[in-house]
Amino acid sequence: MALQEHIAHILASMCTWLLRDVCKRSASQLPGVIALHVDSNYIEHAAAHLRDGSIVVCGTNGKTTTNNLIAQTLERAGFRVACNSVGANMPAGVAAALVQHSASDWASLEVDELSCATVIPALKPRYFVLLNLFRDQLDRVGEMDRVQDTIATALIASPATMLIVCADDPLSMAVAHRVQKAGNPVRYVGVSQTLPALIDRVPEARFCQLCGAKLLYHSRTYAQLGNFYCPSCEFKRPQLDYAARDISISEVGLSCIIEHTAPHTAQDDGARDDSPAQSQSHDVASSASSVQIHAAFSGMYMVYNIACAWSALSEVGVQVQYFEETLQQFHPQNGRLQHFVYKGMPIILNLAKNPTGFNQNISLLQQDTRRKHIYICINDNDNDGCDVSWLWDVDFERLASEDKPHLMCGGTRACDMRVRLKYAGFDSSLAADIDEALAACTAASADLSSYPLYVLTNYSALWPVKARLEQLCSNSDCKTA
């Protein structure tokens, strides 16, 4: 270890200890800031100490959940894993995770799309999982072509990195098209089943990424995802390496079969023979062409998250039993579909930060047949993006099928949210914080147990609401589900 790296690691480790053990605060960012300040190449230097390499998860929606599924399964399989599990996905967060887990076999890291420009060439991951690409935080991120170019350029700078891509997404496939031409290995993940016709719109990626013609679909899952093809050129969804089929989704969970259509061993791509799970990988790759998945999550987007997570783990060579055990015991504690119970009332907290993510939350609401309280909290802080015009791209009109939902709005842009709901045909009230929302729910319904509260927030609103719910649900009359 070079002197500069050594000093950076010592100072960042001390900061981690002070924050986490003395101050009882999160150490997900500041130690990384210190490490990178002392050694600007800290990520590259720390990555060299990883025994087996790293897996990066990227995309607009689903990064944290997918990354944590991968990390927890690797740990269950006997690996030591560095992970930014709370979602600190910019360079400082990546560096902080490497500081805290310096003697690891694997690093499983989620990385912000634009941060790929610096993180991927330094980290040179073994696998890069690209979940999806949607318009998000336009005032910070910019238009989609900037995001695509950033990711593709970063991957081309790391030519040994295997791209595991959601092949149902035309925007992600445009990245894969460039990366594969440059020589990176690619694996394709998607849904092979034809699902019932959808009522949601295709808000983006309506045109071919190569020639500009309007894309057509054999079938579609949600937003622009599906079995697409261009009638004017060769751009289309390719043959899938990992295909989800026999999908069943209800309000309490999902099941599906993930079929590996082109089996091969992790050793074929240069995996270490002496890794803890290497002796098990041959059973997965040679005999298990499909796996049956059951999970206590709902939503079509979770099918993609799970399929992409399993695809990466299969490439590593992890036995499916470890993934199944992780799914059975996986309880999100990061505000993503996190469940609480307050005085008998079920509460479901979830992130909703862009049109596609919000539309998927509406689909989840519609799968729950009970009457509902809905509290929408929208901020416009730096990490949210100041432009909230995206609210007009959300299909709130679909809530008309609900049985008189009780709608409340909060956050710094609560009034904007109320205006949007008014144009969708709904009355709503203001609730300054989650305490006011809970009080309004209690006043509106005598039977709290049959009238759940859905709390949908964007980034900066999520953590205060989550912290307050955890505080309230630590009381004797409350509990976390």
Side-chain angles (χ1 to χ4, degrees), residues 9 40 102 170 188-189 191 202 297 299 323 372 400:
H9 184 75
S40 60
S102 57
Y188 300 107
V189 186
V191 171
V202 180
F297 315 109
F323 188 53
K372 306 169 191 70

Side-chain angles (χ1 to χ4, degrees), residues 54-67:
S54 58
I55 301 169
V56 165
V57 179
C58 188
T60 308
N61 295 336
K63 291 187 292 289
T64 302
T65 298
T66 304
N67 186 50

